[in-house]
Amino acid sequence: MGRCAPFMSVVLATLSAAIPVSGPAIAAEGGASNGPYFRVFGGYSLIDDPSIQGDNITNGSTGNGTGRGTLHQTNGPWGGAAAGYRWGVLRLEGMGSYESHSLKSFDSPQFSYVDTGGTRRTDLNAHPTLDGNLRIFTGFLNAVLDVKFGSPFEPFVGGGIGFANVRMNDVTGVSNGNSFNLTDGSDTVLAFQALVGFAYRFTPTFAAEAGYRFLSLNDPSFSDNLGGSFDLGIEAHQAWIGLRVDF
């Protein structure tokens, strides 16, 4: 599972911990309600500058085993929706989200490419500028544990396992004055997330949410213009606000 393996163990621990805890917690609540719910949310996504490395984006001296480069992109809005079922303080839900970021540049000790004139080039200590988009659609199965104190404020913690479809849309660039086409494609990979936040319940039906998501993707891979490939190591810190409706 690569870079995601340590994070997956944390998510699995969160999910397994939620289930046994829920039984006593529900009993302590004295008949917490069961039923379906729906929520929508939106917020701001801060992507840690992804690492980038591959057959032709290398550290220059020992190949692609070490010395990953760094991709730079804008940060910005993200959002989505989820629907699920609650059993007292335990919730299981399906969740989808979407975000899009403009690519700016990347840094690499060595970058080989074919420019738009058909000439193969290799640039050392490369800092090409980029034009294009990085788009991420995710789908998750989450387990979420609500912590109830008999007040309108209800903290929650959870985690999820799912997939991410990552698209680099018509990405072009310029390196040392030479234009090139980098990639235009997508990859679907495993994804993992941790969730923490709180809800404020206005009525038994409506609650406002504020939360934080840590998102980790299992290194999507893309073809380059020399017939090779490169992968991205993507992790993101995301805040959101939203509305939950309990039926």
Side-chain angles (χ1 to χ4, degrees), residues 182-234:
L182 180 62
T183 192
D184 182 21
S186 65
D187 192 19
T188 300
V189 296
L190 285 171
F192 310 93
Q193 65 179 7
L195 309 169
V196 64
F198 69 90
Y200 183 85
R201 187 161 295 284
F202 298 104
T203 72
T205 301
F206 295 101
E209 289 185 343
Y212 164 80
R213 171 169 87 159
F214 177 74
L215 176 67
S216 182
L217 309 186
N218 195 32
D219 292 3
S221 181
F222 303 89
S223 299
D224 64 28
N225 73 358
L226 282 175
S229 64
F230 63 91
D231 60 63
L232 301 179
I234 299 176

Side-chain angles (χ1 to χ4, degrees), residues 1 8-9 22 29 31 40 60 71 102 107 109 127 132 147 169 172 178 181 184-185 187 203 206 209 220 245:
M1 257 184 220
M8 182 180 181
S9 64
S22 64
E29 282 293 309
V40 293
L71 180 69
S102 297
D107 305 319
H127 305 282
V147 182
N169 191 52
T172 61
N178 303 301
N181 298 313
D184 182 21
D187 192 19
T203 72
F206 295 101
E209 289 185 343
V245 181

Side-chain angles (χ1 to χ4, degrees), residues 19-30 89:
I19 294 173
V21 168
S22 64
I26 292 172
E29 282 293 309
V89 295

Side-chain angles (χ1 to χ4, degrees), residues 135-180:
R135 299 174 178 173
I136 304 173
F137 171 78
T138 67
F140 280 96
L141 178 63
N142 298 329
V144 183
L145 181 66
D146 294 316
V147 182
K148 299 192 176 184
F149 300 103
S151 76
F153 287 97
E154 299 176 357
F156 59 82
V157 62
I161 299 174
F163 72 90
N165 177 264
V166 183
R167 179 165 186 82
M168 297 190 76
N169 191 52
D170 193 21
V171 180
T172 61
V174 177
S175 182
N176 289 335
N178 303 301
S179 300
F180 62 89

